[in-house]
Amino acid sequence: MPTDRMGPRYRAFSLRKGQRSTYCKHTSDAVCAMFKGFSGYIQADAHCIYDALFRGEARDGEGDKVPEEVACWSHARRKYWDAAVTTKDADAREALLRIHMLFKLEEDWTEL
């Protein structure tokens, strides 16, 4: 369901198991129906059902832009964690430290 708390330029969707909606189906078709014609930024988990969005299958017309995928730091962090643990790579450890700093800032900002 869209929330107005974030303002007119942003929408957040929260679907729960058992909620009756066309969009509750966990399929590429349902995701494309939900975002039909949308051309902004989308942050989604790495599930393959979202790939159709970024291939342009939810465009409403020829002139529509394909939504731009923005990554999730938690998902990116996992890859750095794996590298830091298995190879002891200094760059991976530095990346983990910087991501931790971002998470800390985000936590502090929730109080604003």
Side-chain angles (χ1 to χ4, degrees):
M1 70 179 65
T3 61
D4 293 329
R5 185 180 81 165
M6 296 165 71
R9 295 184 57 211
Y10 305 94
R11 291 289 181 250
F13 292 88
S14 176
L15 300 175
R16 290 173 178 76
K17 189 175 183 175
Q19 185 178 2
R20 302 204 35 81
S21 170
T22 303
Y23 306 130
C24 284
K25 295 179 180 140
H26 203 67
T27 65
S28 292
D29 289 341
V31 169
C32 286
M34 180 185 295
F35 289 100
K36 183 110 177 128
F38 180 79
S39 61
Y41 297 97
I42 295 178
Q43 180 182 21
D45 66 23
H47 197 283
C48 64
I49 65 170
Y50 298 103
D51 293 346
L53 285 174
F54 307 119
R55 286 193 302 263
E57 295 177 27
R59 288 185 296 178
D60 209 12
E62 283 298 314
D64 285 350
K65 289 180 169 182
V66 174
E68 192 166 336
E69 182 176 12
V70 293
C72 166
W73 280 113
S74 292
H75 283 94
R77 183 186 176 281
R78 292 178 191 164
K79 300 298 182 186
Y80 289 112
W81 176 265
D82 292 344
V85 169
T86 59
T87 67
K88 309 292 188 225
D89 182 77
D91 289 337
R93 291 195 309 267
E94 177 68 21
L96 287 171
L97 176 63
R98 290 178 185 217
I99 292 169
H100 174 75
M101 292 166 58
L102 288 173
F103 286 171
K104 178 67 175 126
L105 285 171
E106 183 180 31
E107 183 181 309
D108 293 345
W109 292 336
T110 59
E111 301 301 318
L112 297 178

